Amino acid sequence: MITDILERLVRAAGADPFRGAGEEIENFCRRIGLNLKRQPVREGLYNLILPLGENPQVLISAHFDTVPAVVEGRCARMGQEGSRFYGRGSCDALGSIAALLGTLQDLAEEGFDLKSSLVLIAFTVDEEEGGEGSVILQNIVPASIKWALVLEPTSLKLALAEMGTLEYRVKIKGKTAHGSLPERGHNPLLMLFEVGSYLQDLAGEFNRTFNPRIPLKFIPLKAVGGSEALAIPGKAELKFDFRVPPEVPLSLLKGKIEEFFWKYPEIEFEVVEEAPPFQVEPASPFVEMLARIYEQELGHPLEFTFMPSWTDAHNFYEKGWLPVIWGPGDLAVAHTEEEHVEVAELLKAQQFLTGLLRYLSQV
């Protein structure tokens, strides 16, 4: 059963979030007669490649690394409860991998000729960190690849757009003093609050100016400063992210942020991550093909959405391929102790992927 596959993947990832699920994927494919090729990414990390046919046109990609099982001291639930399967990575994105492995197993057992498919399957690493796996993958992908289906949790809706990201780390210098005499020091927490207020207002200003279909979002991620002692702290730090829709010029946003920072000598800042947004036209042949297969297999139209988070699709888009994002699971529960995926969505995902591989073996 598909939940048995997912349970093995989740348990393996729980033991080693970076490599564990990869070893289980290799073992599973070996049992059904498929040999994966390891592509080194950096020491101890590797992508897994499964070429199905000559001159593939479609890349199906999913990352097998996960965030750690324990986040902020909270451990993710584990196991099937009713209609849901819980576990770290079950939604992001081991559920998608389980559906894909189930598809490969069923097709192999019925004697389907997978070598006739115009598909290259890649299981990537490091998506949760720097995305290096999907960059290195491009070194061996043949020039015949035109499109990419990136498996991520979208509740089985096809994401045609991905929000850009602009992430900063800010350090604010202060001057210590006794907490009862704040005028003798310089409190960096007050500046931290001012920075946060400015950035929140800036997001509102850009949304009013550009009126994006998906609003620009300011997301504080981490704030550090102060202690339990009655003392003005000597420093504070803030890490934040902007999720940037396609209508908002990322360079203009970046300029406004840094123009504000340069006004204050006590502020040091660095860009942690910068990636522009992208979008794909719904009338593209690849999207129309996916929509047609989806409706044939599941009996209702494919819905469209957007991906609010960075994914490997960004690196594929930069390469010049046409990537879209799709898969079972709700992104909102990913990275939380309640991470789960609906079993019904896993089965529907497997049904769609089976239809897709069959179709791409006939064209």
Side-chain angles (χ1 to χ4, degrees):
M1 289 182 61
I2 194 168
T3 51
D4 295 330
I5 300 173
L6 180 55
E7 182 172 1
R8 290 196 294 269
L9 291 171
V10 170
R11 291 192 182 280
D16 183 347
F18 302 103
R19 291 171 292 270
E23 295 176 1
E24 179 57 36
I25 292 168
E26 285 184 297
N27 293 336
F28 182 91
C29 287
R30 193 177 298 115
R31 289 194 295 269
I32 62 174
L34 299 174
N35 293 316
L36 297 173
K37 298 179 181 179
R38 286 191 178 189
Q39 181 197 26
V41 173
R42 62 175 185 268
E43 185 176 359
L45 297 182
Y46 50 84
N47 295 325
L48 295 170
I49 314 299
L50 179 61
L52 295 184
E54 295 183 2
N55 300 316
Q57 296 183 14
V58 176
L59 169 69
I60 299 179
S61 171
H63 71 91
F64 62 81
D65 60 314
T66 70
V67 297
V70 179
V71 176
E72 289 189 328
R74 296 192 294 270
C75 185
R77 294 163 65 178
M78 175 66 193
Q80 186 169 351
E81 299 180 22
S83 64
R84 295 175 173 177
F85 188 95
Y86 288 84
R88 175 69 72 233
S90 59
C91 171
D92 183 18
L94 299 180
S96 292
I97 293 178
L100 182 54
L101 293 179
T103 292
L104 294 173
Q105 181 180 38
D106 287 350
L107 291 176
E109 288 178 351
E110 69 179 52
F112 186 81
D113 183 14
L114 290 169
K115 292 296 183 182
S116 65
S117 181
L118 299 176
V119 174
L120 175 71
I121 294 176
F123 303 100
T124 60
V125 72
D126 194 49
E127 193 272 351
E128 296 290 1
E129 295 291 335
E132 191 175 0
S134 55
V135 173
I136 299 299
L137 174 65
Q138 299 170 26
N139 296 334
I140 63 168
V141 170
S144 57
I145 289 290
K146 301 177 181 178
W147 306 302
L149 178 63
V150 180
L151 302 182
E152 291 277 6
T154 65
S155 300
L156 300 182
K157 299 176 182 179
L158 190 67
L160 303 182
E162 181 175 287
M163 301 279 272
T165 185
L166 185 58
E167 185 176 321
Y168 281 86
R169 181 178 289 109
V170 177
K171 297 181 179 180
I172 305 172
K173 297 178 183 178
K175 180 182 178 183
T176 58
H178 192 280
S180 298
L181 296 169
E183 67 277 7
R184 300 287 294 274
H186 179 72
N187 196 329
L189 293 177
L190 295 176
M191 176 56 71
L192 186 149
F193 298 150
E194 184 176 343
V195 168
S197 178
Y198 170 79
L199 295 174
Q200 183 67 39
D201 291 345
L202 184 64
E205 176 187 329
F206 269 68
N207 283 326
R208 289 188 296 273
T209 300
F210 295 99
N211 193 28
R213 181 173 60 90
I214 309 159
L216 173 70
K217 299 176 183 178
F218 164 60
I219 308 171
L221 298 173
K222 186 177 182 180
V224 179
S227 68
E228 296 297 323
L230 184 59
I232 302 300
K235 61 181 179 180
E237 295 186 15
L238 175 66
K239 185 179 181 183
F240 67 88
D241 186 18
F242 274 94
R243 295 295 169 172
V244 186
E247 297 89 344
V248 172
L250 187 144
S251 59
L252 180 61
L253 175 64
K254 184 179 180 182
K256 287 287 188 179
I257 293 170
E258 297 186 4
E259 180 183 1
F260 176 81
F261 288 160
W262 284 119
K263 294 178 182 178
Y264 301 95
E266 64 267 38
I267 291 181
E268 297 179 0
F269 64 90
E270 64 172 324
V271 176
V272 177
E273 184 176 1
E274 179 180 354
F278 72 83
Q279 58 185 345
V280 172
E281 292 299 323
S284 70
F286 185 49
V287 173
E288 291 181 343
M289 178 194 73
L290 293 175
R292 185 170 61 253
I293 295 170
Y294 185 93
E295 186 164 3
Q296 288 173 352
E297 293 296 327
L298 297 179
H300 60 86
L302 176 62
E303 297 181 53
F304 298 139
T305 186
F306 70 95
M307 171 53 70
S309 181
W310 188 96
T311 73
D312 283 335
H314 169 80
N315 288 336
F316 300 153
Y317 185 81
E318 292 282 291
K319 177 68 175 178
W321 305 332
L322 185 71
V324 293
I325 307 157
W326 176 89
D330 180 1
L331 182 66
V333 300
H335 300 187
T336 75
E337 67 271 23
E338 295 295 321
E339 183 167 355
H340 66 270
V341 63
E342 296 287 343
V343 176
E345 285 196 14
L346 293 176
L347 296 173
K348 290 179 180 179
Q350 182 174 344
Q351 185 177 350
F352 168 71
L353 290 170
T354 300
L356 178 61
L357 287 182
R358 288 186 186 278
Y359 178 84
L360 290 173
S361 298
Q362 299 168 355
V363 294

